[in-house]
Amino acid sequence: MATNFLVHEKIWFDKFKYDDAERRFYEQMNGPVAGVSRQENGASVILRDIARARENIQKSLAGSSGPGASSSPSGDHSELVVRIASLEVENQSLRGVVQELQQAVSKLEARLNVLEKSSPAHRVTAPQTQHVSPMRQVEPPTKKPATPAEDDEDDDIDLFGSDNEEEDKEAAQLREERLRQYAEKKAKKPVLVAKSSILLDVKPWDDETDMAQLESCVRSIQLDGLVWGASKLVPVGYGIRKLQIQCVVEDDKVGTDLLEEEITKFEEHVQSVDIAAFNKI
């Protein structure tokens, strides 16, 4: 119905021509108006596009309503019928497959039920009760009194024989001999003596002190484990010089405190004693 209505509808397609003629007539009469003319030109263009669109729609509808167009719906209908038939065939085949699967599952369930009933693991048997006899007290074995003959036999057994005693004596002698040899070797080894090299600074009272006499006083100190070395005079300032002397001492016998104490005894020549260097040898 809608198609027939659009086919027979009457549309004024040439209206824009009459609008243009009317506009030109009024322009000649009253003169051109810029704004109005532009608006009318825009409206006429839109009207033209609408008219062309309507004309194209009408032509397409007229072509579809012709004799050739009547064959297309029947073709579409037949194609739909073919598709529906194929779908029904596929549906029936799927139903058959589903039925077969259901039958196979039911058969498997029946077999499982039979196997469960026939298996001995599922048989419920009553547990057998075991009768436990009451515990009897076990009496400890009684010791028989030893006879005099057995005592004599025990006395005859010698757990530590004479052979073992002789072997123990030989091992003790061998151990003592080795200990003695080790002590002799240790006694022959030279004992390392810890020594130190000390550099002393001996300062006089003033520049008039006799430095040669001061050095002879220092060297006159003789101690076990003390050896004097080289010496020299080092200027300090204002004509005063100090005695710098080196010595070697054994740490166990001579200490720095003892050396300072012995040197400072010469009060007439020595003001103070300082340790300039101390090295282990």
mmCIF file of all heavy atoms in Angstrom, residues 69-84:
data_model
loop_
_atom_site.group_PDB
_atom_site.id
_atom_site.type_symbol
_atom_site.label_atom_id
_atom_site.label_comp_id
_atom_site.label_asym_id
_atom_site.label_seq_id
_atom_site.Cartn_x
_atom_site.Cartn_y
_atom_site.Cartn_z
ATOM 1 N N ALA A 69 10.203 -7.024 -11.200
ATOM 2 C CA ALA A 69 10.448 -7.030 -9.755
ATOM 3 C C ALA A 69 9.626 -8.045 -9.028
ATOM 4 O O ALA A 69 9.885 -8.374 -7.889
ATOM 5 C CB ALA A 69 10.153 -5.655 -9.178
ATOM 6 N N SER A 70 8.609 -8.577 -9.633
ATOM 7 C CA SER A 70 7.741 -9.534 -8.959
ATOM 8 C C SER A 70 8.405 -10.870 -8.747
ATOM 9 O O SER A 70 8.016 -11.640 -7.892
ATOM 10 C CB SER A 70 6.442 -9.713 -9.769
ATOM 11 O OG SER A 70 6.771 -10.238 -11.058
ATOM 12 N N SER A 71 9.474 -11.138 -9.506
ATOM 13 C CA SER A 71 10.145 -12.436 -9.397
ATOM 14 C C SER A 71 11.066 -12.510 -8.187
ATOM 15 O O SER A 71 11.381 -13.591 -7.701
ATOM 16 C CB SER A 71 10.933 -12.729 -10.671
ATOM 17 O OG SER A 71 11.937 -11.745 -10.859
ATOM 18 N N SER A 72 11.536 -11.379 -7.666
ATOM 19 C CA SER A 72 12.505 -11.400 -6.572
ATOM 20 C C SER A 72 11.925 -11.913 -5.275
ATOM 21 O O SER A 72 12.561 -12.708 -4.584
ATOM 22 C CB SER A 72 13.113 -10.013 -6.381
ATOM 23 O OG SER A 72 12.095 -9.087 -6.058
ATOM 24 N N PRO A 73 10.700 -11.540 -4.854
ATOM 25 C CA PRO A 73 10.187 -12.091 -3.604
ATOM 26 C C PRO A 73 9.998 -13.581 -3.653
ATOM 27 O O PRO A 73 10.274 -14.299 -2.690
ATOM 28 C CB PRO A 73 8.858 -11.358 -3.406
ATOM 29 C CG PRO A 73 8.983 -10.115 -4.218
ATOM 30 C CD PRO A 73 9.812 -10.489 -5.386
ATOM 31 N N SER A 74 9.538 -14.082 -4.802
ATOM 32 C CA SER A 74 9.361 -15.533 -4.901
ATOM 33 C C SER A 74 10.692 -16.259 -4.822
ATOM 34 O O SER A 74 10.814 -17.322 -4.216
ATOM 35 C CB SER A 74 8.634 -15.864 -6.215
ATOM 36 O OG SER A 74 9.452 -15.457 -7.315
ATOM 37 N N GLY A 75 11.742 -15.648 -5.421
ATOM 38 C CA GLY A 75 13.078 -16.271 -5.337
ATOM 39 C C GLY A 75 13.583 -16.295 -3.918
ATOM 40 O O GLY A 75 14.132 -17.295 -3.445
ATOM 41 N N ASP A 76 13.385 -15.189 -3.191
ATOM 42 C CA ASP A 76 13.815 -15.159 -1.797
ATOM 43 C C ASP A 76 13.044 -16.173 -0.966
ATOM 44 O O ASP A 76 13.598 -16.850 -0.089
ATOM 45 C CB ASP A 76 13.607 -13.754 -1.233
ATOM 46 C CG ASP A 76 14.516 -12.737 -1.926
ATOM 47 O OD1 ASP A 76 15.539 -13.181 -2.504
ATOM 48 O OD2 ASP A 76 14.196 -11.536 -1.893
ATOM 49 N N HIS A 77 11.746 -16.309 -1.253
ATOM 50 C CA HIS A 77 10.926 -17.262 -0.505
ATOM 51 C C HIS A 77 11.389 -18.703 -0.727
ATOM 52 O O HIS A 77 11.500 -19.496 0.227
ATOM 53 C CB HIS A 77 9.458 -17.089 -0.923
ATOM 54 C CG HIS A 77 8.525 -17.997 -0.184
ATOM 55 N ND1 HIS A 77 8.251 -17.828 1.170
ATOM 56 C CD2 HIS A 77 7.803 -19.083 -0.602
ATOM 57 C CE1 HIS A 77 7.419 -18.778 1.554
ATOM 58 N NE2 HIS A 77 7.131 -19.552 0.479
ATOM 59 N N SER A 78 11.703 -19.019 -1.961
ATOM 60 C CA SER A 78 12.165 -20.387 -2.250
ATOM 61 C C SER A 78 13.508 -20.667 -1.586
ATOM 62 O O SER A 78 13.760 -21.755 -1.068
ATOM 63 C CB SER A 78 12.271 -20.582 -3.760
ATOM 64 O OG SER A 78 13.236 -19.670 -4.299
ATOM 65 N N GLU A 79 14.373 -19.634 -1.583
ATOM 66 C CA GLU A 79 15.676 -19.827 -0.931
ATOM 67 C C GLU A 79 15.513 -20.057 0.562
ATOM 68 O O GLU A 79 16.182 -20.912 1.157
ATOM 69 C CB GLU A 79 16.541 -18.589 -1.184
ATOM 70 C CG GLU A 79 17.987 -18.751 -0.707
ATOM 71 C CD GLU A 79 18.826 -17.542 -1.067
ATOM 72 O OE1 GLU A 79 18.299 -16.645 -1.755
ATOM 73 O OE2 GLU A 79 19.995 -17.514 -0.643
ATOM 74 N N LEU A 80 14.585 -19.334 1.178
ATOM 75 C CA LEU A 80 14.332 -19.534 2.607
ATOM 76 C C LEU A 80 13.779 -20.926 2.882
ATOM 77 O O LEU A 80 14.146 -21.566 3.876
ATOM 78 C CB LEU A 80 13.333 -18.483 3.103
ATOM 79 C CG LEU A 80 13.882 -17.048 3.227
ATOM 80 C CD1 LEU A 80 12.750 -16.084 3.554
ATOM 81 C CD2 LEU A 80 14.955 -16.983 4.306
ATOM 82 N N VAL A 81 12.909 -21.416 1.988
ATOM 83 C CA VAL A 81 12.343 -22.755 2.173
ATOM 84 C C VAL A 81 13.447 -23.804 2.122
ATOM 85 O O VAL A 81 13.480 -24.754 2.920
ATOM 86 C CB VAL A 81 11.264 -23.009 1.108
ATOM 87 C CG1 VAL A 81 10.840 -24.471 1.107
ATOM 88 C CG2 VAL A 81 10.054 -22.114 1.331
ATOM 89 N N VAL A 82 14.405 -23.624 1.188
ATOM 90 C CA VAL A 82 15.507 -24.594 1.071
ATOM 91 C C VAL A 82 16.370 -24.585 2.336
ATOM 92 O O VAL A 82 16.778 -25.627 2.858
ATOM 93 C CB VAL A 82 16.345 -24.269 -0.168
ATOM 94 C CG1 VAL A 82 17.597 -25.137 -0.206
ATOM 95 C CG2 VAL A 82 15.523 -24.485 -1.429
ATOM 96 N N ARG A 83 16.629 -23.400 2.831
ATOM 97 C CA ARG A 83 17.460 -23.308 4.041
ATOM 98 C C ARG A 83 16.766 -23.939 5.242
ATOM 99 O O ARG A 83 17.383 -24.644 6.041
ATOM 100 C CB ARG A 83 17.770 -21.837 4.351
ATOM 101 C CG ARG A 83 18.764 -21.225 3.381
ATOM 102 C CD ARG A 83 19.089 -19.801 3.789
ATOM 103 N NE ARG A 83 20.056 -19.191 2.891
ATOM 104 C CZ ARG A 83 20.492 -17.935 2.992
ATOM 105 N NH1 ARG A 83 20.018 -17.174 3.970
ATOM 106 N NH2 ARG A 83 21.365 -17.450 2.143
ATOM 107 N N ILE A 84 15.462 -23.689 5.365
ATOM 108 C CA ILE A 84 14.725 -24.267 6.492
ATOM 109 C C ILE A 84 14.730 -25.783 6.405
ATOM 110 O O ILE A 84 14.893 -26.490 7.405
ATOM 111 C CB ILE A 84 13.286 -23.725 6.507
ATOM 112 C CG1 ILE A 84 13.314 -22.229 6.888
ATOM 113 C CG2 ILE A 84 12.421 -24.497 7.494
ATOM 114 C CD1 ILE A 84 11.996 -21.527 6.687
#
